[in-house]
Amino acid sequence: PRFGTDGLRGVANTELTPELALALGRAVSRRVAGSPWLLGRDTRRSGPMLQAALAAGLASEGRAVVDIGVIPTPGLAWLASSRGFPAAMISASHNPYADNGIKLLGPGGTKLPRQAELAVQDELDHASVLGAPHGVAVGAISADPSAVAEYADHLVALVTGKTLLGGEIVVDCANGAASAVAPLVLDRLGVNARVINATPDGVNINAGCGSTHLSALAAEVVSTGAALGIAFDGDADRMLAVDHLGREIDGDYLIALFAKDLRDRGHLTGGEVVVTVMSNLGLHLALAAEGIAVFETPLGDRHVSDALEARGLVLGGEQSGHLIFTEHASSGDGVMTALLLLEVLGRTGASLAEVADAAMERVPQLLHNVPIRNPSRLADAASVWVAVSDVESALGGSGRVLLRASGTESCVRIMVEAPTIDEAERHVAYLAAIVAKELGDA
């Protein structure tokens, strides 16, 4: 694997091997300053194996290593920021358990700059033979079992003294890293939480649960009469919700309601939020009606984070539920987002359904993947872009079209938003046929 939008990722022990993790530890030590390195992981079976190899690589180059254990990615980022140390997270986020990944964080708790990643990649590709440290120059590896509790204290302090939503909620920890933090934090804050999928066994992370599989959570909320449901992904940097009716409240709804709340309280610095090209047209329309500007970036939380920093803004995020509140954190934090949502609802006294319905109205959106052997050819497919222009003209201001070559799969991704789902389906079918005809032969 090579560095993508979220570090290295692949099938553990096949693509992402211990040998690669060992070499990465050595390469990082040579190209990225800082010591000790904080290492965290989610609950995948391969996590300890890859973490041990990465730690060995770092220590072999003289870097000290601190094993934080199972912790959400944003928890590790917060520790890296508060302690001023670099860090590495072993996680494949929302992917199935057989996958894993390694995400590198700088001492500020943010992802390494792209240039730093390229330098590490170059070191991996052309590893030089250097004299290995020996004796006391070998890096020490230790554990810090108190670090997770320190992160939990940080989350509790964010909302201590504020009114949180009353009534029961259902919390789906995806059998992932949130299992180690979310139940503890909610209990300490007095939240009446029915916790599900918080018994990780190494293979059940994201398996039919969490933010990528909301149906079980929705059923639990409706059947128990809970006020709402909250779901995290495997490394707990994302959070999605369901209201008491079992309806999904995705990241676009969350951005809309948080933006309006921050604006109403005078905390929306710059009067603008950052979203990606995948955000629903309904979000754009709702925020425009409120006089809140939107800055759009390519897909990926790195782009959102970079734009927030460059423009000095406080709120941005993705439809997936990866929201960044720069006042509190340098990256998306699912548990923090959940707490801030409970605080908004507690302060307003409204239900999630009421707040979400008032925040925005979703425009029907349809996503479709067209298998293409070489999707990079899309850029030069003139007839495809003529067809896109035709659909955009037909939609006018009532819809939107997005075509892009996938960076992770051999396909072209089509997204159409239209006034009705039938109209979206018609336009998607038209575009998919043209993409297949023009690009499907090579």
Side-chain angles (χ1 to χ4, degrees), residues 212-233:
T212 52
H213 302 87
L214 290 175
S215 57
L217 173 64
E220 184 77 11
V221 168
V222 172
S223 66
T224 61
L228 58 87
I230 286 168
F232 306 108
D233 66 335

Side-chain angles (χ1 to χ4, degrees), residues 38-92:
L38 309 180
L39 303 190
R41 63 182 185 272
D42 65 20
T43 58
R44 293 162 211 272
R45 179 175 290 180
S46 60
M49 173 186 75
L50 293 171
Q51 182 175 317
L54 181 64
L58 289 162
S60 73
E61 292 289 330
R63 300 302 179 89
V65 175
V66 179
D67 177 5
I68 302 299
V70 173
I71 189 170
T73 295
L76 186 68
W78 178 79
L79 287 169
S81 176
S82 63
R83 299 183 182 184
F85 299 147
M89 181 72 184
I90 314 296
S91 172

Side-chain angles (χ1 to χ4, degrees), residues 381-397:
S383 58
V384 173
W385 296 111
V386 169
V388 169
S389 180
D390 290 343
V391 172
E392 288 176 334
S393 296
L395 288 169

Side-chain angles (χ1 to χ4, degrees), residues 162-196:
K162 297 180 179 179
T163 301
L164 302 184
L165 173 76
E168 185 181 55
I169 68 171
V170 182
V171 179
D172 185 343
C173 291
N175 290 313
S179 306
V181 174
L184 170 66
V185 168
L186 292 169
D187 182 66
R188 286 178 56 185
L189 289 169
V191 176
N192 182 11
R194 176 191 297 268
V195 179
I196 62 175

Side-chain angles (χ1 to χ4, degrees), residues 28 32-39 63 76 80 84-88 105-109 112:
V28 166
V32 181
S35 185
W37 275 76
L38 309 180
L39 303 190
R63 300 302 179 89
L76 186 68
F85 299 147
L105 305 173
L112 287 185

